[in-house]
Amino acid sequence: MHHPDPHSFYDATQPRAKQLRLKLDVDFRTKRIDGEVVLVFGHPVSGRLDLDTKGLEIRGVQVPGKGDIAWAMGDPVAILGQRLRLDLPEATEEVAISYRTGTDAMALQWLDPEQTEGKTAPFLFSQCQQIHARTLLPCQDTPLARIAYQAEVSVPEGLTAVMSAGPVGDEATDGGRHVFRFAMPQPIPSYLLALAVGRLESRELGPRARVWAEPETVAAAAWEFAGVEDMILKAEEVFGPYPWERYDMLVLPPSFPYGGMENPRMTFLTPTLLAGDRSLVDVVAHELAHSWTGNLVTNASMEHFWLNEGFTVWAERRILRILHGDDAATLSWALGQKALEDGLERFKDEPQLTVLRMHLEGIDPDDAFSSIPYEKGARLVAALEREVGEDKFLHFIRDYMDAFRFTSITTEQFCAFANDRLPGALAAVDAHAYLDLPGLPATAPTFRSAQLDTLTALAASWSQGVRPGADQSAGWSPTELQVFLQKLPRLLTTADAAWLDEHLHLMDRGNHEILVDWLTLAAAADYEPAFARIREVLLRVGRMKYLRALYGALGLHARTRALAREIFAAASAGYHGLSRRTVQSVIAGYPD
Ligand code: BES
Ligand code: ZN
């Protein structure tokens, strides 16, 4: 017995599935999926096989030629779910499991028509990272067990299914249904399995990219992301040829709990990126960069999450620098610095969650989630880059991608490789302090520009009554404005908030980063004119990062706490399960 991933029943001494064949029947009436999954081993195997499940109803298990075989569910275990144990007969090449998803499958959000843009059809989307694939299908739910897959998805006629895979055909079937078929030929970790079903249209954006969205938003999405081919070209300058053929994107309804999710061949995106001025496309650069760092070379378990996110943040800013120059990248590092400080503050009583190489036995990876693996991780990568020089580092990154492509690796494997190819570099930047010690090392790289210094000084003199002039702020890019807002004192007076409201016209910004940063300041200032807008945003948008910030800031005053509770009571049914849990924990931390 060998359990290399603390979040999975996967046993490395048992057979490993190489491929899945999936049949999914999507039932919007019961909000369940009837599924059949065939695990293909690629050679004859036998003996015990432990799979991950959570909330699944198992209906039967069969081996072709041998008929039904016995199966047993273990007791429910907190965080992990339930082990499904099979005993495979001699010379088993594949095993088929039929099952049904539970009504509260964490991987799935079922939206009523009112929660979509068009308001006429329901919508379903999945989010399997970190460990929710097991609520969608029984599987070896660890990034260590990579799988190729084929899928057949049956949905009501009129709706379209997309997956993290290439489409290979679709046809109408009996009973007013339509079947969509997919193939993902390359081996991916289970957390990258993804499905969405809704009233969807697409627009071509270039030779290998298109964007999918509801018909009402697809034109805006196509405009916002028109630059994606250019971004792919820039990413290829960093990493080499794009390895997944197509880079398509799906814009989801606003309850999607993340900014973006790097599902291969079909990045999922929040509609809050549709700012109308292309100012939030850095999220696309991030998800695109995951095509290499994360999807091609994958963290072996959530304990090594920084290998995914730290490298990807570094790559995102590298791409940004090629596209928009040093100053733009520096501002992005500054926003990251703020996110990092917030993360360190949030975990000040749990310093073990601020190291990069985490120990997550008994800890829910969604609870350990923060900006720390992103930003501390990216700073370690940047430190290495500065240590050895840009050119040498770029070669190293390419070699790293080549050496580990389509594998899932640990921090130790990364370090061994780095020590081999860049002797002495890890020690020179004190990698140990990043990997195993809490907080941010004092030697971490810093990022400065004249423009950032100006914004920092201006915000710092706010308390002395210094205000940006109208000409000055009118010339700011969205990111500059955001940096300024983030550097203001956290606790403003209502008069301060009124000044910002009046002079910077913040209430009706299409850029949700600016809007939410502003509303967070306004909530913390108990600024009543913003309450209606806060309510509107919290009722519509389910992105966890925004919910955490806004509900957190509403916790500072008695009447904003009352407002938060009232809004949550009205909004929670429309939130994704993960978002609901996040808000519940924020509100539970309120002082009364
Ligand atoms: N893979 C993450 C999203 C994620 C992380 C989902 C952990 C579930 C668990 C994705 O690549 C990401 O980091 N998204 C960010 C955007 C980014 C620009 C930092 C987000 O959603 O805000
Ligand atoms: Zn990411």
Side-chain angles (χ1 to χ4, degrees):
M1 208 171 61
H2 173 44
H3 292 290
D5 181 341
H7 297 120
S8 173
F9 290 110
Y10 169 68
D11 183 335
T13 65
Q14 296 178 357
R16 184 150 118 187
K18 298 285 182 316
Q19 198 191 338
L20 304 181
R21 284 202 311 272
L22 265 175
K23 272 194 194 142
L24 302 174
D25 207 77
V26 177
D27 185 352
F28 280 99
R29 199 180 50 78
T30 57
K31 302 192 170 167
R32 286 169 179 246
I33 292 177
D34 265 305
E36 184 191 76
V37 57
V38 180
L39 280 69
V40 182
F41 299 100
H43 57 98
V45 303
S46 64
R48 201 172 256 185
L49 182 71
D50 292 335
L51 300 175
D52 294 296
T53 77
K54 202 169 187 182
L56 298 178
E57 204 179 286
I58 302 299
R59 293 180 152 170
V61 182
Q62 293 179 324
V63 172
K66 307 242 164 61
D68 289 334
I69 66 162
W71 51 273
M73 276 288 207
D75 292 332
V77 175
I79 304 164
L80 270 70
Q82 272 176 292
R83 184 187 67 204
L84 170 59
R85 176 163 284 179
L86 312 181
D87 193 12
L88 304 174
E90 279 310 307
T92 298
E93 303 229 8
E94 52 183 64
V95 58
I97 305 168
S98 43
Y99 67 96
R100 192 153 79 128
T101 57
T103 46
D104 53 1
M106 198 54 114
L108 301 175
Q109 191 179 12
W110 301 84
L111 301 177
D112 294 329
E114 307 76 66
Q115 291 173 274
T116 66
E117 204 63 52
K119 319 256 180 250
T120 57
F123 201 105
L124 167 68
F125 67 82
S126 71
Q127 169 58 46
C128 287
Q129 200 181 16
Q130 308 275 12
I131 53 169
H132 306 302
R134 65 195 64 181
T135 70
L136 174 61
L137 78 170
C139 62
Q140 294 171 311
D141 194 9
T142 168
L144 284 164
R146 304 177 75 100
I147 33 119
Y149 77 91
Q150 291 161 13
E152 240 182 69
V153 185
S154 162
V155 306
E157 187 63 73
L159 300 187
T160 299
V162 297
M163 291 192 83
S164 52
V168 288
D170 67 278
E171 75 239 351
T173 55
D174 292 346
R177 312 273 301 173
H178 204 99
V179 167
F180 291 84
R181 284 191 298 276
F182 303 92
M184 167 48 82
Q186 292 134 316
I188 59 166
S190 52
Y191 74 81
L192 292 177
L193 279 165
L195 167 70
V197 180
R199 226 173 105 252
L200 294 174
E201 267 183 27
S202 72
R203 294 278 185 279
E204 294 296 327
L205 301 177
R208 49 185 160 172
R210 72 170 69 94
V211 64
W212 289 89
E214 286 188 70
E216 290 75 13
T217 33
V218 75
W223 186 86
E224 205 82 31
F225 306 129
V228 66
E229 174 62 20
D230 206 28
M231 240 179 213
I232 301 173
L233 291 169
K234 300 300 181 277
E236 289 183 317
E237 284 179 28
V238 179
F239 289 116
Y242 179 71
W244 303 89
E245 281 173 54
R246 295 205 48 97
Y247 184 76
D248 294 337
M249 294 171 278
L250 169 68
V251 177
L252 289 133
S255 67
F256 185 60
Y258 291 97
M261 177 64 213
E262 66 271 25
N263 299 316
R265 298 178 190 231
M266 188 62 73
T267 281
F268 283 17
L269 298 169
T270 167
T272 61
L273 301 185
L274 304 177
D277 59 4
R278 299 182 179 152
S279 56
L280 296 176
V281 294
D282 55 330
V283 176
V284 175
H286 178 96
E287 305 314 334
L288 172 64
H290 271 307
S291 303
W292 290 269
T293 48
N295 298 1
L296 191 61
V297 179
T298 307
N299 54 210
S301 78
M302 297 313 152
E303 297 190 322
H304 309 280
F305 187 52
W306 81 274
L307 288 176
N308 277 17
E309 297 299 345
F311 273 91
T312 300
V313 168
W314 169 83
E316 166 201 334
R317 294 186 185 142
R318 183 83 210 230
I319 293 168
L320 202 67
R321 217 180 87 200
I322 305 177
L323 279 172
H324 302 301
D326 284 339
D327 281 355
T330 299
L331 291 177
S332 182
W333 282 104
L335 295 175
Q337 183 72 28
K338 170 73 168 43
L340 176 57
E341 284 159 13
D342 289 352
L344 292 173
E345 170 65 23
R346 191 173 127 220
F347 287 149
K348 64 176 186 298
D349 298 327
E350 293 163 288
Q352 76 282 7
L353 297 181
T354 73
V355 302
L356 291 181
R357 185 180 0 216
M358 301 230 259
H359 304 280
L360 293 179
E361 186 90 47
I363 298 176
D364 187 330
D366 286 322
D367 293 340
F369 179 79
S370 79
S371 292
I372 295 164
Y374 289 75
E375 297 294 342
K376 188 177 176 181
R379 278 158 181 75
L380 170 55
V381 179
L384 286 170
E385 182 183 27
R386 284 188 183 181
E387 174 63 27
V388 304
E390 274 185 26
D391 288 347
K392 194 163 169 196
F393 193 68
L394 210 52
H395 279 110
F396 168 75
I397 286 286
R398 298 227 181 124
D399 289 347
Y400 172 45
M401 293 294 116
D402 277 347
F404 294 106
R405 53 194 285 124
F406 296 113
T407 67
S408 304
I409 66 165
T410 60
T411 303
E412 296 72 58
Q413 283 171 286
F414 167 73
C415 289
F417 186 77
N419 279 330
D420 181 48
R421 301 302 168 96
L422 302 173
L426 286 176
V429 303
D430 195 9
H432 164 68
Y434 292 83
L435 297 175
D436 301 312
L437 302 180
L440 184 70
T443 54
T446 53
F447 301 86
R448 285 186 65 182
S449 66
Q451 185 190 26
L452 178 59
D453 286 349
T454 306
L455 291 165
T456 307
L458 186 61
S461 55
W462 178 271
S463 313
Q464 284 85 61
V466 179
R467 300 288 177 267
D471 286 355
Q472 190 177 17
S473 59
W476 285 343
S477 69
T479 314
E480 287 170 306
L481 174 55
Q482 207 194 334
V483 168
F484 175 72
L485 291 176
Q486 289 199 356
K487 292 200 172 270
L488 287 175
R490 290 298 84 195
L491 281 179
L492 297 175
T493 64
T494 48
D496 288 338
W499 191 95
L500 291 171
D501 187 9
E502 185 190 336
H503 291 85
L504 299 179
H505 315 290
L506 297 166
M507 215 68 98
D508 40 37
R509 292 278 168 166
N511 178 313
H512 271 68
E513 293 290 320
I514 293 174
L515 179 64
V516 171
D517 277 345
W518 150 243
L519 293 175
T520 303
L521 283 169
D526 195 22
Y527 180 62
E528 194 173 359
F531 291 179
R533 192 74 171 114
I534 291 172
R535 174 183 283 110
E536 188 274 319
V537 170
L538 290 177
L539 281 169
R540 179 172 45 87
V541 178
R543 184 172 173 187
M544 280 194 283
K545 167 174 152 181
Y546 296 158
L547 301 185
R548 198 188 291 284
L550 283 171
Y551 280 103
L554 288 170
L556 296 174
H557 309 275
R559 75 166 171 173
T560 52
R561 286 195 287 276
L563 178 68
R565 292 194 171 99
E566 174 209 316
I567 296 173
F568 182 54
S572 94
Y575 287 161
H576 189 284
L578 288 167
S579 305
R580 196 175 308 131
R581 242 181 47 187
T582 298
V583 178
Q584 268 158 354
S585 81
V586 172
I587 290 183
Y590 282 2
D592 56 275

